[in-house]
Amino acid sequence: MNKPLRKVAVAGMLLLVILIINVNYIQGSQADKLQTDPLNSRQFAQQWEHNRGPIMAGKVTLAYSEKIGGKDGKEYQRHYNQGTLYSPITGYVSVFSRTGLESAENGLLDGTDKRLALHNWFDMLVGKKAAGATVQTTIDPDAQQAAYSGIKNQTIRRGGAVAIDVKTGAILAMASFPSYDTNDVAVHDGEKANKVFESLNKQKPAPMLNYATRETFAPGSSFKIIDSAAAIESGQYNKDTPTDANRLLLPESGQELHNSDGDEAKCNGSPPLIDSFAASCNSTFGRLALTLKQQTLENMAAKFGFNKPTEIENGVSSATSVYPTKPLGGDSLARSGIGQEVVTASPLQMAMVAQTVANGGKMMKPYLVKRVVAQDQSELVTAEPKQIGQPISADTAGQIQEMMRAVVDHGTASAVLAGRDIAGKTGTAETGIGGINEDWFVGFAPRDNPKVAFAVVTEGPAGSSGAKFSAPIAWRIVQAVH
């Protein structure tokens, strides 16, 4: 072989080797990534070919597949049990997209995940078609029902509620209103699905938005938990430190920061921090924000998870709760101390704040998947609780727990919850939009050995309050938890 031909042959061999390596790379390490790429529309067309495994909450089946033997590979229909109630958890599968756990656990649900390869091989040997795994969630069905019914019946517009296991971070309830029926979008007919999506997208408020995790609200006085944490951690305060609860004139405008969402009769003189917290004195916490300065509050909020999204499961994360990082004027800084104007938080975020306080200062990662099992009941995934931070010391957490108990004993929630085995912080944020208030109750139960942390927000008319509108919902949720 002459020299030029030899060069061509070597080059050809090199190209062939590169091609083989590239094909193996794509089919091997990149296969899953390419299959689930949002731009790959074939994944949605092919999903009806798979016998997707069920999604469960305890003994309740939230989602399952039915063999219908349709044409063009559409062999299975996905069904949702009480789709409106569980839509924030399951999400949906449609001809256009996947959301929620249907997306996060797609490979395990449709049987294509590598962890199911051996199981699928045995099924093929005996002539069975591969089936997906079962995803067991952390959701408590009774708590979920209590949360959804509560916010649906109480809000005049939107609402969200989250309950979390204090020790593990497992999400026990995640309810959102308004909602939608996931069965309406999980249809094979693309034209029909498109009409449903168009109709849902035109509705206001948006029913497909998860108000428990994907929307933020002004937290109002529930943010005083974070103010108090920053104050006590600074070493300048403890729960018994006298505070100035007298009338506060804002430093720039000279306007008064009213105690409208607290017990105004108790907001004067020099009550200890615990009593100012229980009575929700805006004057105290506006001054506290001005004294501590923006950076201190910003740092504490960041330790609790503000200013970054929280991942719940793979590809399922929260909206970002915000404490401002740009310099604030004096008026805005004071208002930030009462959780208004420039501060926003999701119910999930505030439930995590309560969980941290109830857990001695240890913040746990929230999660929805308890375990995943194959058809033969072998476990493929088992949740492992994970601590993701320690925003405050155990001593600070203990003091704030006592302060949250005082809210129920003789503070803003006493008229509704006094004598109940629960602790928390009320919040009422005036939005200035159509006279709507955003009403919160954030806390934990039982009072002395916390097991469940929660956050509930509803929207009420002018004059509504977190104590009246959201606290009763929280009580029903913790009563329902098994």
Side-chain angles (χ1 to χ4, degrees), residues 226-289:
I226 293 177
D227 294 340
S228 300
I232 297 171
E233 286 284 303
S234 74
Q236 302 174 57
Y237 298 83
N238 61 47
K239 66 181 177 61
D240 297 316
T241 301
T243 62
D244 186 351
N246 293 303
R247 184 173 180 233
L248 172 63
L249 299 181
L250 295 171
E252 294 173 318
S253 65
Q255 296 177 349
E256 183 175 357
L257 186 64
H258 293 286
N259 288 309
S260 55
D261 64 339
D263 188 342
E264 197 155 359
K266 296 178 181 179
C267 294
N268 55 69
S270 303
L273 181 62
I274 187 171
D275 288 347
S276 280
F277 185 90
S280 202
C281 298
N282 289 342
S283 51
T284 295
F285 287 89
R287 279 193 182 89
L288 198 60

Side-chain angles (χ1 to χ4, degrees), residues 414-456:
S414 60
V416 178
L417 295 176
R420 307 283 175 86
D421 197 6
I422 192 171
K425 181 70 191 78
T426 57
T428 304
E430 298 172 351
T431 66
I433 302 172
I436 291 174
N437 286 349
E438 291 173 350
D439 301 318
W440 290 81
F441 193 60
V442 176
F444 56 85
R447 293 162 55 94
D448 297 317
N449 184 23
K451 293 182 173 59
V452 182
F454 56 79
V456 177

Side-chain angles (χ1 to χ4, degrees), residues 215-227 261 280 282 301 306 320-324 335-347 349-351 353 425-431 437-442 455-458 465-466 470:
E215 179 66 298
T216 60
F217 304 81
S221 292
S222 67
F223 190 77
K224 292 171 184 174
I225 300 170
I226 293 177
D227 294 340
D261 64 339
S280 202
N282 289 342
F306 279 66
T320 299
S321 298
V322 174
Y323 186 88
R335 291 193 183 102
S336 79
I338 63 169
Q340 295 205 183
E341 188 176 303
V342 289
V343 183
T344 63
S346 68
Q349 183 66 68
M350 295 310 296
V353 169
K425 181 70 191 78
T426 57
T428 304
E430 298 172 351
T431 66
N437 286 349
E438 291 173 350
D439 301 318
W440 290 81
F441 193 60
V442 176
V456 177
V457 62
T458 58
S465 68
S470 293

Side-chain angles (χ1 to χ4, degrees), residues 91-113:
Y92 61 79
V93 289
S94 81
V95 293
F96 305 116
S97 57
R98 282 187 295 267
T99 63
L101 290 183
E102 291 280 28
S103 175
E105 304 299 328
N106 180 62
L108 288 165
L109 285 167
D110 72 9
T112 60
D113 190 280

Side-chain angles (χ1 to χ4, degrees), residues 241-428:
T241 301
T243 62
D244 186 351
N246 293 303
R247 184 173 180 233
L248 172 63
L249 299 181
L250 295 171
E252 294 173 318
S253 65
Q255 296 177 349
E256 183 175 357
L257 186 64
H258 293 286
N259 288 309
S260 55
D261 64 339
D263 188 342
E264 197 155 359
K266 296 178 181 179
C267 294
N268 55 69
S270 303
L273 181 62
I274 187 171
D275 288 347
S276 280
F277 185 90
S280 202
C281 298
N282 289 342
S283 51
T284 295
F285 287 89
R287 279 193 182 89
L288 198 60
L290 292 169
T291 300
L292 293 172
K293 307 300 184 187
Q294 181 180 349
Q295 192 63 57
T296 300
L297 293 180
E298 180 189 329
N299 290 344
M300 182 54 68
K303 288 180 180 180
F304 274 105
F306 279 66
N307 295 332
K308 62 182 179 181
T310 298
E311 185 177 70
I312 303 167
E313 297 293 344
N314 181 35
V316 177
S317 60
S318 70
T320 299
S321 298
V322 174
Y323 186 88
T325 56
K326 293 183 179 180
L328 297 174
D331 286 15
S332 292
L333 177 55
R335 291 193 183 102
S336 79
I338 63 169
Q340 295 205 183
E341 188 176 303
V342 289
V343 183
T344 63
S346 68
L348 174 66
Q349 183 66 68
M350 295 310 296
M352 290 172 65
V353 169
Q355 177 273 316
T356 302
V357 170
N359 195 34
K362 297 176 182 178
M363 175 174 278
M364 305 301 291
K365 180 186 180 298
Y367 62 96
L368 271 172
V369 177
K370 187 176 183 179
R371 62 177 174 272
V372 181
V373 297
Q375 276 196 312
D376 63 2
Q377 298 306 302
S378 59
E379 290 204 353
L380 303 170
V381 176
T382 303
E384 295 182 4
K386 179 182 179 182
Q387 183 178 338
I388 56 174
Q390 175 107 25
I392 54 178
S393 68
D395 178 72
T396 298
Q399 291 189 59
I400 299 175
Q401 286 179 30
E402 190 169 341
M403 292 163 66
M404 293 171 77
R405 288 192 283 268
V407 171
V408 172
D409 290 341
H410 55 82
T412 53
S414 60
V416 178
L417 295 176
R420 307 283 175 86
D421 197 6
I422 192 171
K425 181 70 191 78
T426 57
T428 304

